[in-house]
Amino acid sequence: MKKAILSFVLSVLLNVVFAQANLPADYLSKEFHKGRRDEFRKLMPTNSVAVIFAYPERTFSRDISYQYHPNPDLYYLSGYKESNAVLLIFKESQQANNLQYNELIFVRDRDKLAETWTGRRLGIEGTKEKLGFSVVYTTKEFNNFPINFKNFTTVLSAGIPTDIKNDNSGYDLAGLLKTFREKAAVSDEERTLHNLQQRLATNTNMQNLEQMIAGIKRTAVNNEKILNDSYIQQLMAKPDSVQLEAIKLKLLSQKDGMDFYREIITALRQIKTAEEMVVFRKAIKISAIAHTEAMKAVTADMSENEVDGIHRYIHKKYGAEDEGYPTIVGAGANGCILHYGENNNTKIDNQLLLMDVGAEYHGYSADITRTVPANGKFTAEQKAIYELVYEAQEAVFKLCKEGTPFGNLNKKSTEILANGLLKLGVIKEYGEVRTYYPHGCSHYLGLDVHDIGDNLGLKENMVITVEPGIYIPAGSNCDKKWWNIGVRIEDDVLIGRDNFEILSIDAARKWDDVEKVTREKSRLNDINLPKL
Ligand code: GLY
Ligand code: MN
Ligand code: MN
């Protein structure tokens, strides 16, 4: 009997060990997430609480949901990756139910039946053990939890999402939000007032004052808060230009919970910690390898979709869970569509192929674009445009260090592309450059592909993209020889105090390196599948 018990215990232990052994071991640690909450708390105003909801689930097909994607803010601050949850961070220590706490998380309850259908849940115990929270409740308990948001001076939140599914249980995200609205200090009227104030502060001038006043009158119908607000009343009284500027300054300094939340989460997330960079570098490295393998494998006979599949296969081979955004694989004319997502051209042919693809690894997203000739050789015109985009990218890299104003990156790339296009005769006036370069040069990168950032001066340990491009669709007002050339080169760059690092350097960039890799053989071309 003893032996039987021992072997049972052993088998349970081994099961646990083996089950764990097959899971990735390089997730961010619970200490990381706790550290982020502590930093967030330090920046919160006195007597405040931050409320961070999970992202909604989305319908893919009738009773099937899309693969769930966590809210990056909630993931960053807690590590919790499931739906129907809410995290509360308090500035000051709180007390309820005989417990002392400065953070609370309400999570999905364990449910044996549901878990056999849609997967394992952490539940209360898992959230305590794996994520290191000491006070955890189920979402069912949020409704009756003794918290009065009206007792806080500021309730920090990203805002309440409106496009959510409601399973009418009262315990899903819709239920949590309903309860929050009931308990919340901020009414819809107050939020409308604040949004209006910020709009007025940013957009009003002496020329459009009358128009703005008319707009206020329309918005103010049935909103006592707006009608009674002293700043709004001062604006309605038609101030002179000096008075107007003073009112605008006062309005801009009025921060609400959404402003505080945005400022704090941006200040944190835009600077990457060493622990994040370990995971983030993997996302980018995987993507660079995928680009290299796709370059090697691409042939004129392939479809865009097949190339898309090569990227995804390599991502998964290295353990990336997802792509950070819908993949863009566009040949010829399709390469001129900035966020082309159909990827359904069945024959790439001897065209230029633009691939903008990035893996998401443990939440962090790469964002890399390579543009390659499917047959391994650029035409003279393709090469001229490619080299110009490359030159712009090189010039912007040099600005990638602490202190550079974010706006200077786009200014520099625009200047180089405009002068180059003038020289090639593609444009006749400097301003025409926007026709062929209609997007910005850079954005922040991280848990979101278009990550949050303050757009001010670059700082050490920010990660940004550098992605100049030129797109000349057929019918453009230039010589036909340029038509259907779309080139973007996009790399992911870590900002240093006095230098930069191209994290995506493993994917060939220079035109001759690109040609060389594209002509290399790939084992993927040897796969022989039956014909349909
Ligand atoms: N892949 C989207 C972008 O480059 O911004
Ligand atoms: Mn990008
Ligand atoms: Mn991109």
Side-chain angles (χ1 to χ4, degrees), residues 217-454:
K217 284 184 184 154
R218 279 196 302 275
T219 318
V221 180
N222 296 333
N223 189 327
E224 292 290 317
K225 284 241 178 318
I226 294 180
L227 294 171
N228 295 334
D229 181 72
S230 73
Y231 295 119
I232 298 283
Q233 287 173 351
Q234 288 170 46
L235 268 179
M236 307 261 286
K238 297 191 190 162
D240 63 26
S241 60
V242 177
Q243 289 166 329
L244 176 63
E245 287 314 307
I247 298 169
K248 281 166 66 173
L249 271 182
K250 289 228 176 77
L251 284 177
L252 279 176
S253 67
Q254 308 260 303
K255 280 198 238 169
D256 79 348
M258 258 159 102
D259 299 322
F260 274 116
Y261 178 81
R262 215 176 10 245
E263 267 179 38
I264 298 174
I265 197 74
T266 300
L268 296 184
R269 277 184 52 188
Q270 68 179 355
I271 307 290
K272 271 61 183 180
T273 65
E275 188 170 340
E276 286 176 282
M277 283 312 300
V278 174
V279 179
F280 200 179
R281 278 177 187 277
K282 285 188 193 173
I284 297 170
K285 181 119 183 152
I286 292 168
S287 309
I289 295 171
H291 273 273
T292 306
E293 291 306 315
M295 273 187 219
K296 280 169 35 184
V298 68
T299 64
D301 283 339
M302 275 187 186
S303 67
E304 293 169 343
N305 215 0
E306 195 176 347
V307 176
D308 176 343
I310 291 171
H311 281 272
R312 292 184 198 228
Y313 170 69
I314 304 288
H315 295 174
K316 299 228 180 309
K317 181 92 182 151
Y318 285 96
E321 293 90 347
D322 212 334
E323 281 65 51
Y325 51 94
T327 57
I328 300 166
V329 179
N334 296 339
C336 298
I337 302 169
L338 301 181
H339 281 177
Y340 172 70
E342 290 160 306
N343 303 349
N344 64 356
N345 182 346
T346 55
K347 197 165 185 306
I348 291 169
D349 239 330
N350 291 320
Q351 303 188 86
L352 208 49
L353 182 71
L354 187 151
M355 305 180 286
D356 183 346
V357 194
E360 184 184 299
Y361 185 79
H362 297 1
Y364 288 81
S365 177
D367 187 8
I368 302 177
T369 307
R370 289 295 181 262
T371 310
V372 305
N375 61 4
K377 186 136 188 64
F378 287 105
T379 65
E381 286 75 24
Q382 289 169 353
K383 183 160 160 268
I385 297 294
Y386 191 94
E387 285 202 279
L388 178 56
V389 175
Y390 184 89
E391 183 193 337
Q393 208 196 17
E394 287 284 306
V396 174
F397 286 149
K398 294 198 179 84
L399 301 178
C400 288
K401 56 183 178 206
E402 178 147 326
T404 298
F406 192 78
N408 283 13
L409 307 175
N410 197 41
K411 235 187 251 165
K412 175 54 86 183
S413 59
T414 305
E415 181 190 309
I416 298 209
L417 295 180
N419 288 328
L421 288 175
L422 280 168
K423 215 150 132 199
L424 291 171
V426 177
I427 60 173
K428 305 209 168 40
E429 283 170 34
Y430 190 99
E432 260 188 279
V433 64
R434 289 320 278 168
T435 313
Y436 302 114
Y437 177 39
H439 59 76
C441 179
S442 296
H443 56 78
Y444 298 87
L445 189 65
L447 288 169
D448 284 296
V449 61
H450 295 161
D451 215 37
I452 42 180
D454 58 18

Side-chain angles (χ1 to χ4, degrees), residues 11 58 204 255 445 454 495 499:
S11 83
R58 306 238 168 254
T204 314
K255 280 198 238 169
L445 189 65
D454 58 18
I495 304 298
N499 54 5

Side-chain angles (χ1 to χ4, degrees), residues 89-233:
I89 303 175
F90 301 91
K91 175 72 176 181
E92 294 87 5
S93 187
Q94 308 289 312
Q95 208 163 4
N97 296 351
N98 293 324
L99 289 168
Q100 186 102 9
Y101 50 84
N102 62 7
E103 53 198 28
L104 289 175
I105 188 162
F106 294 81
V107 301
R108 294 200 302 185
D109 204 356
R110 299 292 308 268
D111 181 330
K112 213 165 172 200
L113 180 63
E115 289 182 58
T116 60
W117 282 91
T118 50
R120 299 181 182 91
R121 299 178 175 191
L122 275 184
I124 290 185
E125 288 315 312
T127 305
K128 285 183 177 170
E129 187 203 324
K130 298 243 160 51
L131 303 181
F133 280 88
S134 40
V135 187
V136 184
Y137 291 94
T138 66
T139 50
K140 284 182 191 164
E141 292 166 295
F142 186 56
N143 202 6
N144 292 325
F145 191 81
I147 177 169
N148 186 351
F149 288 97
K150 295 188 177 74
N151 290 340
F152 295 90
T153 313
T154 319
V155 178
L156 284 71
S157 93
I160 298 182
T162 49
D163 55 340
I164 52 160
K165 230 164 116 170
N166 184 348
D167 70 9
N168 293 316
S169 67
Y171 308 137
D172 65 346
L173 185 66
L176 287 175
L177 291 171
K178 183 169 168 285
T179 304
F180 177 62
R181 275 178 191 283
E182 283 159 13
K183 292 176 185 262
V186 181
S187 67
D188 286 347
E189 272 189 340
E190 277 169 4
R191 185 123 293 160
T192 309
L193 168 63
H194 181 74
N195 290 343
L196 177 66
Q197 284 179 335
Q198 295 306 305
R199 254 201 334 272
L200 290 169
T202 324
N203 300 327
T204 314
N205 53 46
M206 287 310 283
Q207 285 72 47
N208 67 13
L209 185 59
E210 295 278 355
Q211 213 182 319
M212 296 309 245
I213 291 173
I216 295 173
K217 284 184 184 154
R218 279 196 302 275
T219 318
V221 180
N222 296 333
N223 189 327
E224 292 290 317
K225 284 241 178 318
I226 294 180
L227 294 171
N228 295 334
D229 181 72
S230 73
Y231 295 119
I232 298 283
Q233 287 173 351

